[in-house]
Amino acid sequence: MERNEVLEQLQGIFRSVLNEPELQLNFDMSTNDIDNWDSITNMTIISEIESRYGIHFKMRDIIKSKNVGDMCDVIIHNS
């Protein structure tokens, strides 16, 4: 699976969870760039990602993920 493919799929998850249908993700985006992305919605996003990809984020993966690109890398590494 390629990073751009994962990014496109994550965009759908983020749009749904954050209720932002026009949201355009890029690899460098973080919680500082997206208004509704807070600690609560982050846990929902992670849960949706885990369900979608059949993976489980380790606590260290969550802590190390500073932006969308890091999340893509975790997904690719664990898929």
Coordinates of all heavy atoms in Angstrom, one line a residue:
M1 N 0.8 -1.2 0.0 CA 0.0 0.0 0.0 C 0.9 1.2 0.0 O 1.9 1.3 0.7 CB -0.9 0.0 1.3 CG -1.9 1.0 1.3 SD -3.0 0.9 2.7 CE -3.1 -0.8 3.0
E2 N 0.5 2.2 -0.8 CA 1.3 3.4 -0.9 C 0.8 4.5 0.0 O -0.4 4.6 0.3 CB 1.3 3.9 -2.4 CG 1.7 2.8 -3.4 CD 2.8 3.3 -4.3 OE1 3.1 4.5 -4.3 OE2 3.3 2.5 -5.0
R3 N 1.7 5.4 0.3 CA 1.4 6.5 1.2 C 0.2 7.4 0.7 O -0.7 7.8 1.4 CB 2.6 7.5 1.4 CG 3.2 7.3 2.7 CD 4.4 8.2 2.9 NE 4.4 8.8 4.2 CZ 4.6 10.0 4.5 NH1 5.0 10.8 3.5 NH2 4.5 10.5 5.7
N4 N 0.2 7.7 -0.6 CA -0.9 8.5 -1.2 C -2.2 7.8 -1.1 O -3.2 8.5 -0.9 CB -0.5 8.9 -2.6 CG 0.5 10.0 -2.7 OD1 0.7 10.8 -1.7 ND2 1.3 10.0 -3.7
E5 N -2.2 6.5 -1.3 CA -3.4 5.7 -1.2 C -4.0 5.8 0.2 O -5.2 5.9 0.5 CB -3.1 4.3 -1.6 CG -4.3 3.4 -1.5 CD -4.0 1.9 -1.9 OE1 -2.8 1.7 -2.3 OE2 -4.9 1.1 -1.8
V6 N -3.1 5.6 1.2 CA -3.5 5.7 2.6 C -4.0 7.1 2.9 O -5.1 7.2 3.6 CB -2.3 5.3 3.6 CG1 -2.7 5.5 5.0 CG2 -1.9 3.9 3.3
L7 N -3.3 8.1 2.5 CA -3.8 9.5 2.7 C -5.2 9.7 2.2 O -6.0 10.3 2.9 CB -2.8 10.5 2.0 CG -3.2 12.0 2.2 CD1 -3.1 12.4 3.7 CD2 -2.3 12.8 1.3
E8 N -5.5 9.2 1.0 CA -6.8 9.4 0.4 C -7.9 8.7 1.3 O -8.9 9.2 1.5 CB -6.8 8.8 -1.0 CG -8.1 9.0 -1.7 CD -8.0 8.5 -3.2 OE1 -7.0 8.7 -3.8 OE2 -9.0 7.9 -3.6
Q9 N -7.5 7.5 1.8 CA -8.5 6.7 2.6 C -8.7 7.4 4.0 O -9.8 7.5 4.5 CB -8.0 5.3 2.8 CG -8.1 4.5 1.5 CD -7.4 3.2 1.6 OE1 -6.9 2.8 2.6 NE2 -7.4 2.4 0.5
L10 N -7.6 8.0 4.5 CA -7.7 8.7 5.8 C -8.5 9.9 5.6 O -9.2 10.3 6.6 CB -6.3 9.1 6.3 CG -5.4 8.0 6.9 CD1 -4.1 8.6 7.4 CD2 -6.2 7.3 8.1
Q11 N -8.4 10.6 4.5 CA -9.2 11.8 4.3 C -10.7 11.5 4.5 O -11.4 12.3 5.1 CB -8.9 12.3 2.8 CG -9.6 13.6 2.6 CD -9.1 14.3 1.3 OE1 -8.1 15.0 1.5 NE2 -9.6 14.0 0.2
G12 N -11.2 10.3 4.0 CA -12.6 10.0 4.2 C -12.9 9.8 5.6 O -14.0 10.2 6.1
I13 N -12.0 9.2 6.4 CA -12.2 9.0 7.8 C -12.3 10.3 8.5 O -13.2 10.6 9.3 CB -11.1 8.0 8.4 CG1 -11.3 6.6 7.9 CG2 -11.2 8.1 10.0 CD1 -10.2 5.7 8.2
F14 N -11.3 11.2 8.3 CA -11.2 12.5 8.9 C -12.5 13.3 8.6 O -13.1 13.9 9.4 CB -10.0 13.2 8.5 CG -8.8 12.9 9.3 CD1 -8.1 11.7 9.2 CD2 -8.3 13.9 10.2 CE1 -7.0 11.5 9.9 CE2 -7.1 13.6 10.9 CZ -6.5 12.4 10.8
R15 N -12.9 13.3 7.3 CA -14.1 14.0 6.9 C -15.3 13.6 7.7 O -16.1 14.4 8.1 CB -14.3 13.9 5.4 CG -13.4 14.7 4.5 CD -13.6 14.4 3.1 NE -12.8 15.3 2.2 CZ -12.8 15.3 0.9 NH1 -13.6 14.4 0.3 NH2 -12.0 16.1 0.2
S16 N -15.4 12.3 7.8 CA -16.6 11.7 8.5 C -16.6 12.0 10.0 O -17.5 12.6 10.5 CB -16.6 10.2 8.3 OG -17.6 9.6 9.0
V17 N -15.5 11.8 10.6 CA -15.4 12.0 12.1 C -15.4 13.4 12.5 O -16.1 13.8 13.4 CB -14.0 11.4 12.6 CG1 -13.8 11.8 14.1 CG2 -14.1 9.8 12.5
L18 N -14.8 14.3 11.7 CA -14.8 15.7 12.0 C -15.9 16.5 11.4 O -16.1 17.7 11.6 CB -13.4 16.3 11.5 CG -12.2 15.7 12.1 CD1 -10.9 16.3 11.5 CD2 -12.2 15.9 13.6
N19 N -16.8 15.8 10.6 CA -17.9 16.4 10.0 C -17.5 17.6 9.1 O -18.0 18.7 9.2 CB -19.0 16.8 11.0 CG -20.3 17.1 10.3 OD1 -20.6 16.6 9.2 ND2 -21.1 18.0 10.9
E20 N -16.4 17.4 8.4 CA -15.8 18.4 7.5 C -15.7 17.8 6.1 O -14.7 17.4 5.6 CB -14.4 18.8 8.0 CG -14.3 19.5 9.3 CD -14.7 20.9 9.2 OE1 -14.7 21.5 8.1 OE2 -15.1 21.5 10.3
P21 N -16.8 17.8 5.3 CA -16.8 17.2 4.0 C -15.9 17.7 3.0 O -15.5 17.0 2.0 CB -18.3 17.3 3.5 CG -18.9 18.4 4.3 CD -18.1 18.5 5.6
E22 N -15.4 18.9 3.2 CA -14.5 19.5 2.2 C -13.0 19.5 2.6 O -12.1 20.0 1.9 CB -14.9 21.0 2.0 CG -16.3 21.2 1.5 CD -16.6 20.5 0.1 OE1 -15.7 20.6 -0.8 OE2 -17.6 19.9 0.0
L23 N -12.7 18.8 3.7 CA -11.4 18.8 4.3 C -10.4 18.1 3.3 O -10.7 17.1 2.7 CB -11.4 18.0 5.6 CG -10.0 17.8 6.3 CD1 -9.5 19.1 6.8 CD2 -10.2 16.8 7.5
Q24 N -9.3 18.8 3.1 CA -8.2 18.3 2.2 C -7.0 18.0 3.0 O -6.3 18.9 3.5 CB -7.9 19.3 1.1 CG -9.0 19.5 0.1 CD -9.3 18.3 -0.7 OE1 -8.4 17.6 -1.2 NE2 -10.6 18.0 -0.9
L25 N -6.7 16.7 3.3 CA -5.5 16.4 4.1 C -4.3 16.4 3.3 O -4.3 16.2 2.1 CB -5.7 15.0 4.6 CG -6.7 14.7 5.8 CD1 -6.6 13.2 6.2 CD2 -6.5 15.6 6.9
N26 N -3.2 16.7 4.0 CA -1.8 16.5 3.4 C -1.0 15.9 4.5 O -1.4 15.8 5.7 CB -1.2 17.7 2.8 CG -0.9 18.8 3.9 OD1 -0.2 18.6 4.8 ND2 -1.5 20.0 3.7
F27 N 0.2 15.3 4.2 CA 1.0 14.6 5.1 C 1.5 15.4 6.3 O 1.7 14.9 7.4 CB 2.2 14.0 4.4 CG 1.9 13.0 3.3 CD1 2.1 13.2 2.0 CD2 1.3 11.8 3.7 CE1 1.8 12.2 1.0 CE2 0.9 10.8 2.8 CZ 1.2 11.1 1.4
D28 N 1.6 16.7 6.1 CA 2.2 17.6 7.1 C 1.1 18.1 8.1 O 1.5 18.8 9.1 CB 2.9 18.8 6.5 CG 4.1 18.3 5.7 OD1 4.8 17.4 6.1 OD2 4.4 18.9 4.6
M29 N -0.1 17.9 7.9 CA -1.2 18.4 8.7 C -1.2 17.8 10.1 O -0.9 16.6 10.2 CB -2.6 18.2 8.1 CG -2.8 19.1 6.9 SD -4.4 18.8 6.2 CE -5.2 20.4 6.6
S30 N -1.4 18.6 11.1 CA -1.5 18.1 12.5 C -2.7 18.7 13.2 O -3.5 19.4 12.6 CB -0.2 18.6 13.2 OG -0.2 20.0 13.5
T31 N -2.8 18.4 14.5 CA -4.0 19.0 15.2 C -4.0 20.5 15.2 O -5.0 21.1 15.4 CB -3.9 18.5 16.7 OG1 -2.7 18.8 17.3 CG2 -4.1 17.0 16.7
N32 N -2.8 21.1 15.0 CA -2.8 22.6 15.0 C -3.4 23.1 13.7 O -3.8 24.3 13.6 CB -1.3 23.0 15.0 CG -0.7 22.7 16.3 OD1 -1.3 22.7 17.4 ND2 0.6 22.4 16.3
D33 N -3.5 22.3 12.7 CA -4.1 22.8 11.4 C -5.6 22.5 11.2 O -6.1 23.1 10.3 CB -3.3 22.1 10.2 CG -1.8 22.3 10.3 OD1 -1.4 23.5 10.4 OD2 -1.1 21.3 10.3
I34 N -6.1 21.7 12.0 CA -7.5 21.3 11.8 C -8.3 21.6 13.1 O -8.1 21.0 14.1 CB -7.7 19.8 11.4 CG1 -6.8 19.5 10.2 CG2 -9.1 19.4 11.2 CD1 -6.7 18.0 9.9
D35 N -9.2 22.5 13.0 CA -9.9 23.1 14.2 C -10.6 22.0 15.0 O -10.5 22.0 16.2 CB -11.0 24.1 13.7 CG -10.4 25.4 13.3 OD1 -9.3 25.7 13.6 OD2 -11.1 26.1 12.5
N36 N -11.3 21.1 14.5 CA -12.1 20.1 15.2 C -11.3 18.9 15.7 O -11.8 18.0 16.3 CB -13.3 19.6 14.4 CG -14.3 20.7 14.1 OD1 -14.3 21.7 14.9 ND2 -15.0 20.6 13.1
W37 N -10.0 18.8 15.3 CA -9.2 17.6 15.7 C -8.6 17.9 17.1 O -7.6 18.5 17.2 CB -8.1 17.4 14.6 CG -7.3 16.2 14.8 CD1 -7.5 15.1 15.6 CD2 -6.2 15.8 14.0 NE1 -6.6 14.2 15.4 CE2 -5.7 14.6 14.4 CE3 -5.5 16.5 13.0 CZ2 -4.6 13.9 13.9 CZ3 -4.4 15.8 12.4 CH2 -4.0 14.6 12.9
D38 N -9.3 17.3 18.1 CA -8.8 17.4 19.4 C -8.5 16.0 20.0 O -8.6 15.0 19.3 CB -9.8 18.2 20.3 CG -11.2 17.6 20.3 OD1 -11.3 16.4 20.1 OD2 -12.1 18.4 20.6
S39 N -8.3 15.9 21.3 CA -7.9 14.6 21.9 C -9.1 13.6 21.8 O -8.9 12.4 21.6 CB -7.5 14.8 23.3 OG -8.5 15.4 24.1
I40 N -10.3 14.1 21.9 CA -11.5 13.2 21.8 C -11.6 12.7 20.4 O -11.8 11.5 20.2 CB -12.8 13.9 22.3 CG1 -12.6 14.4 23.8 CG2 -14.0 13.0 22.1 CD1 -12.4 13.3 24.8
T41 N -11.7 13.6 19.4 CA -11.8 13.2 18.0 C -10.6 12.4 17.6 O -10.8 11.5 16.7 CB -12.1 14.4 17.1 OG1 -11.0 15.3 17.2 CG2 -13.4 15.0 17.4
N42 N -9.5 12.6 18.1 CA -8.3 11.8 17.8 C -8.5 10.3 18.1 O -8.2 9.5 17.3 CB -7.0 12.3 18.5 CG -5.8 11.8 17.9 OD1 -5.6 11.8 16.7 ND2 -4.9 11.2 18.7
M43 N -9.1 10.1 19.3 CA -9.3 8.7 19.7 C -10.4 8.1 18.8 O -10.3 6.9 18.4 CB -9.8 8.6 21.1 CG -8.7 9.1 22.1 SD -7.0 8.5 21.9 CE -7.2 6.8 22.0
T44 N -11.4 8.8 18.3 CA -12.4 8.3 17.4 C -11.7 8.0 16.0 O -12.0 7.0 15.4 CB -13.5 9.3 17.2 OG1 -14.1 9.6 18.5 CG2 -14.6 8.8 16.3
I45 N -10.9 8.9 15.6 CA -10.1 8.7 14.3 C -9.3 7.5 14.4 O -9.3 6.6 13.5 CB -9.3 10.0 14.0 CG1 -10.2 11.1 13.6 CG2 -8.2 9.6 12.9 CD1 -9.5 12.5 13.5
I46 N -8.6 7.3 15.5 CA -7.7 6.1 15.7 C -8.6 4.8 15.7 O -8.2 3.8 15.0 CB -6.9 6.2 16.9 CG1 -5.8 7.3 16.7 CG2 -6.2 4.9 17.3 CD1 -5.0 7.7 17.9
S47 N -9.7 4.9 16.3 CA -10.6 3.7 16.4 C -11.1 3.4 15.0 O -11.2 2.2 14.6 CB -11.8 4.0 17.3 OG -12.7 3.0 17.3
E48 N -11.5 4.4 14.2 CA -11.9 4.2 12.8 C -10.8 3.6 12.0 O -11.1 2.7 11.1 CB -12.5 5.5 12.2 CG -13.7 6.0 12.9 CD -14.9 5.1 12.6 OE1 -15.0 4.6 11.4 OE2 -15.7 4.9 13.5
I49 N -9.6 4.1 12.1 CA -8.5 3.6 11.4 C -8.2 2.1 11.7 O -8.0 1.3 10.8 CB -7.2 4.4 11.6 CG1 -7.4 5.8 11.0 CG2 -6.0 3.7 11.1 CD1 -6.3 6.8 11.5
E50 N -8.3 1.8 13.0 CA -8.0 0.4 13.5 C -9.1 -0.5 12.9 O -8.8 -1.6 12.4 CB -8.0 0.3 15.0 CG -6.8 1.0 15.6 CD -6.8 1.0 17.1 OE1 -7.9 0.9 17.7 OE2 -5.7 1.0 17.7
S51 N -10.3 -0.1 12.9 CA -11.4 -0.9 12.3 C -11.2 -1.1 10.8 O -11.4 -2.2 10.2 CB -12.8 -0.3 12.6 OG -13.1 -0.3 13.9
R52 N -10.9 0.0 10.1 CA -10.8 0.0 8.6 C -9.7 -0.9 8.2 O -9.8 -1.6 7.2 CB -10.6 1.5 8.1 CG -10.1 1.6 6.7 CD -11.2 1.3 5.7 NE -10.9 1.7 4.4 CZ -10.1 0.9 3.6 NH1 -9.7 -0.3 4.0 NH2 -9.9 1.3 2.3
Y53 N -8.5 -0.8 8.9 CA -7.3 -1.6 8.4 C -7.1 -2.9 9.2 O -6.1 -3.6 8.9 CB -6.1 -0.7 8.5 CG -6.1 0.5 7.5 CD1 -6.6 1.7 7.9 CD2 -5.7 0.3 6.2 CE1 -6.6 2.8 7.0 CE2 -5.7 1.3 5.3 CZ -6.2 2.5 5.7 OH -6.2 3.6 4.8
G54 N -7.9 -3.1 10.2 CA -7.7 -4.3 11.0 C -6.3 -4.3 11.7 O -5.7 -5.4 11.9
I55 N -5.9 -3.2 12.2 CA -4.7 -3.0 12.9 C -5.0 -2.5 14.3 O -6.1 -2.1 14.6 CB -3.7 -2.1 12.2 CG1 -4.2 -0.7 12.1 CG2 -3.3 -2.7 10.9 CD1 -3.2 0.3 11.6
H56 N -3.9 -2.5 15.2 CA -4.1 -1.9 16.5 C -2.9 -0.9 16.7 O -1.7 -1.4 16.6 CB -4.1 -3.0 17.6 CG -4.2 -2.4 18.9 ND1 -5.4 -1.9 19.4 CD2 -3.4 -2.3 20.0 CE1 -5.2 -1.5 20.6 NE2 -4.0 -1.7 21.0
F57 N -3.2 0.3 17.0 CA -2.1 1.3 17.3 C -1.6 1.0 18.7 O -2.4 0.9 19.6 CB -2.7 2.7 17.3 CG -2.8 3.4 15.9 CD1 -3.8 3.0 15.0 CD2 -1.9 4.4 15.6 CE1 -3.8 3.6 13.8 CE2 -1.9 5.0 14.4 CZ -2.9 4.6 13.4
K58 N -0.3 0.9 18.8 CA 0.4 0.8 20.1 C 0.4 2.3 20.7 O 0.4 3.2 19.9 CB 1.8 0.3 19.9 CG 1.7 -1.2 19.5 CD 3.1 -1.7 19.3 CE 3.0 -3.1 18.8 NZ 3.8 -3.5 17.7
M59 N 0.5 2.4 22.0 CA 0.5 3.7 22.6 C 1.7 4.5 22.1 O 1.6 5.7 21.8 CB 0.6 3.5 24.1 CG 0.5 4.8 24.9 SD -0.9 5.8 24.5 CE -2.2 4.9 25.4
R60 N 2.8 3.8 21.9 CA 4.0 4.6 21.4 C 3.8 5.1 20.0 O 4.3 6.2 19.6 CB 5.3 3.8 21.5 CG 5.4 2.6 20.5 CD 6.7 2.0 20.5 NE 6.8 0.9 19.6 CZ 6.7 -0.4 20.0 NH1 6.6 -0.7 21.2 NH2 6.7 -1.4 19.1
D61 N 3.0 4.4 19.2 CA 2.6 4.9 17.8 C 1.8 6.1 17.9 O 2.0 7.0 17.1 CB 1.9 3.8 17.0 CG 2.8 2.6 16.7 OD1 4.0 2.8 16.6 OD2 2.2 1.5 16.6
I62 N 0.8 6.1 18.8 CA 0.0 7.3 19.0 C 0.8 8.5 19.4 O 0.6 9.6 18.9 CB -1.2 7.0 20.0 CG1 -2.1 5.9 19.4 CG2 -2.0 8.2 20.3 CD1 -3.1 5.3 20.4
I63 N 1.6 8.3 20.4 CA 2.5 9.4 20.9 C 3.4 9.9 19.9 O 3.6 11.1 19.8 CB 3.2 8.9 22.2 CG1 2.2 8.6 23.3 CG2 4.3 9.9 22.6 CD1 2.8 7.9 24.5
K64 N 4.0 9.0 19.1 CA 5.0 9.4 18.1 C 4.3 10.1 16.8 O 5.0 10.8 16.1 CB 5.8 8.3 17.6 CG 6.8 7.8 18.6 CD 7.6 6.6 18.1 CE 8.7 6.2 19.0 NZ 9.5 5.1 18.5
S65 N 3.0 9.8 16.6 CA 2.4 10.4 15.4 C 2.1 11.9 15.6 O 1.1 12.2 16.3 CB 1.1 9.6 15.2 OG 1.3 8.3 14.8
K66 N 2.9 12.7 15.0 CA 2.8 14.1 15.2 C 1.9 14.8 14.1 O 1.5 15.9 14.2 CB 4.1 14.8 15.2 CG 5.0 14.3 16.3 CD 4.4 14.6 17.7 CE 5.4 14.1 18.8 NZ 4.7 14.0 20.1
N67 N 1.7 14.0 13.0 CA 1.0 14.6 11.8 C 0.3 13.4 11.0 O 0.5 12.2 11.4 CB 1.9 15.4 11.0 CG 3.1 14.7 10.4 OD1 3.0 13.5 10.1 ND2 4.2 15.4 10.4
V68 N -0.4 13.8 10.0 CA -1.1 12.8 9.2 C -0.1 11.8 8.5 O -0.3 10.6 8.4 CB -2.0 13.5 8.1 CG1 -2.6 12.5 7.2 CG2 -3.1 14.3 8.8
G69 N 1.0 12.3 8.1 CA 2.1 11.5 7.5 C 2.6 10.4 8.4 O 2.8 9.2 8.0
D70 N 2.7 10.8 9.7 CA 3.2 9.7 10.6 C 2.1 8.7 10.8 O 2.4 7.5 10.9 CB 3.4 10.4 12.0 CG 4.6 11.3 12.0 OD1 5.5 11.2 11.1 OD2 4.8 12.1 13.0
M71 N 0.8 9.1 10.8 CA -0.3 8.1 10.9 C -0.2 7.2 9.7 O -0.4 5.9 9.8 CB -1.6 8.8 11.0 CG -1.8 9.6 12.3 SD -3.4 10.4 12.3 CE -4.3 9.3 13.3
C72 N 0.0 7.7 8.5 CA 0.1 6.9 7.3 C 1.2 5.9 7.4 O 1.0 4.7 7.1 CB 0.4 7.8 6.1 SG -1.0 8.8 5.5
D73 N 2.4 6.3 7.9 CA 3.5 5.4 8.1 C 3.2 4.2 9.1 O 3.5 3.1 8.8 CB 4.7 6.1 8.6 CG 5.2 7.1 7.5 OD1 4.9 7.0 6.3 OD2 5.9 8.1 7.9
V74 N 2.5 4.5 10.2 CA 2.1 3.5 11.1 C 1.1 2.5 10.4 O 1.3 1.3 10.6 CB 1.4 4.1 12.4 CG1 0.8 3.0 13.3 CG2 2.4 5.0 13.2
I75 N 0.2 3.0 9.7 CA -0.7 2.1 9.0 C 0.0 1.2 8.0 O -0.2 0.0 8.0 CB -1.8 2.9 8.2 CG1 -2.7 3.6 9.2 CG2 -2.6 2.1 7.3 CD1 -3.6 4.7 8.7
I76 N 0.9 1.8 7.2 CA 1.6 1.0 6.2 C 2.5 -0.1 6.9 O 2.6 -1.2 6.5 CB 2.5 1.9 5.3 CG1 1.6 2.7 4.4 CG2 3.5 1.1 4.5 CD1 2.2 3.9 3.7
H77 N 3.1 0.3 8.0 CA 4.0 -0.6 8.8 C 3.2 -1.7 9.4 O 3.8 -2.8 9.5 CB 4.8 0.2 9.8 CG 5.7 -0.6 10.7 ND1 6.9 -1.1 10.2 CD2 5.6 -1.1 11.9 CE1 7.5 -1.9 11.1 NE2 6.7 -1.8 12.2
N78 N 2.0 -1.5 9.8 CA 1.2 -2.5 10.5 C 0.2 -3.2 9.6 O -0.4 -4.2 10.1 CB 0.5 -1.8 11.7 CG 1.4 -1.4 12.8 OD1 2.0 -2.3 13.4 ND2 1.5 -0.2 13.0
S79 N 0.1 -2.9 8.4 CA -0.8 -3.6 7.5 C -0.2 -4.8 6.8 O 1.0 -4.9 6.6 CB -1.3 -2.6 6.4 OG -2.1 -1.6 7.0

